[in-house]
Structure formats: C-alpha cells, structure tokens
Amino acid sequence: MTLTHIDRGDARIVTVHAPRIDAAMAIGFKEEMRGRTEDTPNRIILDMSGVAFIDSSGLGAIVASMKQLGPERRLDLAGLTPSVDKVFRLTRMDTVFRLFATPQEALDVSAC
Amino acid sequence: MDCTAQMSIAGLTAAEGRRFLYSGPANNATSRHAIQSVIAWLADAGLAGEARGDVEIALAEAVNNVVKHGYCGVMAGRMRLDCRLTGQALQIDLTDNGPGLPGGAPPKQRNIDLSVARDQLPEGGFGWLLIRRIADEVDYARCGESNVLTLRFDVSRDNAEQ
C-alpha cells in the first residue's frame, strides 16, 4: 500500500497507489492514513482514481480514516472508479462522504 | 433447502454453459487469488464489465466471511467455489467447513443507520447488505459439517465486451 500526498492551500491531496483496498490491505491503509494526516490542515482529498476495487473492509478503513481526523477536519473522495462508486452507493455511504470526479473538482469547491 | 436439492438447483449439466471450480485454503491471500480467477473466467466467458464488477463485490464479501468467521483462527480451513454460467444465470456455490451461520441463516438485509454522529459511523457490517443488494438470490444450507452458500445472479450474455 503506497500513499503519496501534495498540499494545495488548506487541503492535502492523498493519492492511493494500490489497485485494491480489501481485507488484506485495510489495516495497513488505515495506519498509513493516520500517519499522513496527523499534521494536516482542514481538508483531506483522497484521490481514489487508481483503485479499481474495494470491499467492505476497505470501506470500513476509509470510514475509520475519516473518524481519525476528528470533528474539525473533513475527508472528501475523488476519482471513484465504477465498482468502488457502486460500493459507496449500495451502502449509502455516498451520503456521508462528498464524492468528486477529480481532485481539482474537490479543490474548486469550498472546504465547508 | 435440503442438501441434495441444492446441487441441482440450477439444472445445469456439463453440456450447457460453462463451469469453473476452485478448491483451496481459505485465507486472505488465497481468497483474493480465487476471486480474481473467477472474474477472469467470467471475462473469458464474455460477461460484461459492470456485471463482473458486481459479482466480484458480492463474492468478495461472501469469501471474506468464510476467511474471517468460518474458521475462528484455525489455519487449516478450506473452501470450494463451484461456478456455473449459462446464458441466463451465474450460480456460485461457496462451500466451507467452518462453523454454521448463527441462527442457521444469513442475516436479513438491514439498513445501516447513517444518521448518527460522525464519530459513531459504523466501520463494518456492510458485507451481507452488499451481498443481498447485488445477488438476485441468496441461499444457505448446512450440510453435515459443511456450509454451502449459493449466490445466483441473473446475467445477459448479450452484453459481452469487445
């Protein structure tokens, strides 16, 4: 599991460089996210465009990563591929996270 | 459903449609390989991408349940995937030798309450919801020392990808 990040203003774009976030990867993802978001400003935008598949463990790890940020910061998602988008829609987690087509679209929207 | 009826539920013979069998240990690494083998077989059989994606989601959840709960930490667990495809349906029978499902049946689909405060959001419990939302039929039987979970998907092979 590799995550990279760049900062843009008050947002940090974290890119996931793994084709799957599943049961085997979920704990590692959560821990890496914790490390990369400890000292960040208001917003994390998670670029998921490289991820072709998540299962419920992967979804849970993303929810856990959001909860790790605490009430003052938000986690937005960008670039969900069709199968990943479907998991969010079927579980109605698309009502909990803001989903954007690209990180740039997410940046163009205000942080609130 | 009784166990003898279960194997003939699709009425498939070797002559109609295609069949894929996988049998192996039930752990995270092997299960990922097993699922991807099934999906590759479906691609080869001409099943469209979105349908394959749906099957992958439901199958991954079912297999994860076997790996996570089926053996309670015992390393020697095995599982078997018996996949049969016709022009109308895909049927997958997942067999394992772990403990039976609590209550003798899969959990009924339930809505997940997402109206809670952010720090109360669930991080799990989505698996059966995803299975039931995607598979057209879900059946379960405890046969001796085995569990057989049957997932059935209506498919249309007219949607074959180029």
Side-chain angles (χ1 to χ4, degrees):
Chain A
M1 166 69 60
T2 303
L3 303 181
T4 59
H5 70 263
I6 55 173
D7 289 342
R8 289 278 181 271
D10 71 341
R12 170 163 292 180
I13 302 172
V14 178
T15 301
V16 184
H17 300 277
R20 309 170 72 82
I21 311 177
D22 58 12
M25 326 252 331
I27 293 174
F29 172 83
K30 183 180 163 185
E31 288 309 305
E32 268 228 49
M33 279 293 284
R34 182 196 301 276
R36 283 192 184 266
T37 59
E38 262 166 347
D39 62 337
T40 52
N42 294 329
R43 264 178 103 189
I44 315 297
I45 298 165
L46 191 63
D47 184 349
M48 300 274 292
S49 54
V51 182
F53 179 85
I54 64 168
D55 63 10
S56 58
S57 308
L59 177 62
I62 293 170
V63 173
S65 298
M66 178 185 68
K67 289 159 77 174
Q68 276 171 175
L69 296 179
E72 303 299 319
R73 298 185 292 163
R74 73 174 305 145
L75 176 65
D76 294 327
L77 308 180
L80 267 60
T81 55
S83 189
V84 176
D85 184 77
K86 189 147 206 177
V87 169
F88 275 81
R89 282 190 288 111
L90 289 174
T91 58
R92 294 194 307 116
M93 280 292 182
D94 58 331
T95 65
V96 171
F97 292 90
R98 292 193 306 180
L99 308 181
F100 299 95
T102 63
Q104 187 58 52
E105 258 192 42
L107 288 171
D108 290 343
V109 169
S110 80
C112 298
Chain B
M1 166 180 34
D2 74 87
C3 299
T4 53
Q6 200 274 333
M7 291 307 288
S8 65
I9 194 166
L12 292 167
T13 64
E16 326 167 343
R18 300 178 180 224
R19 191 167 187 186
F20 179 90
L21 274 168
Y22 177 96
S23 184
N27 59 57
N28 277 337
T30 60
S31 67
R32 182 195 272 202
H33 171 71
I35 292 163
Q36 296 190 298
S37 299
V38 172
I39 301 308
W41 168 72
L42 290 172
D44 188 58
L47 194 66
E50 184 178 349
R52 294 201 306 273
D54 288 354
V55 171
E56 187 172 11
I57 294 168
L59 184 56
E61 297 304 330
V63 170
N64 282 350
N65 283 342
V66 167
V67 171
K68 250 191 321 189
H69 303 297
Y71 292 103
C72 304
V74 174
M75 297 301 286
R78 293 184 67 81
M79 69 176 184
R80 183 170 180 265
L81 284 168
D82 186 351
C83 310
R84 284 168 283 182
L85 179 67
T86 67
Q88 286 74 49
L90 167 66
Q91 175 165 318
I92 299 178
D93 297 314
L94 169 60
T95 305
D96 73 271
N97 300 96
L101 285 179
K108 292 279 190 285
Q109 182 169 335
R110 63 185 191 282
N111 289 317
I112 297 169
D113 185 3
L114 300 179
S115 65
V116 298
R118 202 163 87 153
D119 64 348
Q120 304 289 320
L121 281 167
E123 297 174 28
F126 312 118
W128 284 110
L129 180 97
L130 286 168
I131 291 169
R132 288 194 180 279
R133 289 265 171 100
I134 288 173
D136 293 290
E137 282 176 45
V138 177
D139 277 305
Y140 169 81
R142 176 79 182 166
C143 301
E145 297 299 308
S146 298
N147 302 296
V148 185
L149 179 72
T150 298
L151 304 180
R152 192 181 171 98
F153 307 82
D154 295 332
V155 301
S156 166
R157 292 175 89 179
D158 295 337
N159 291 334
E161 285 184 333
Q162 298 308 313

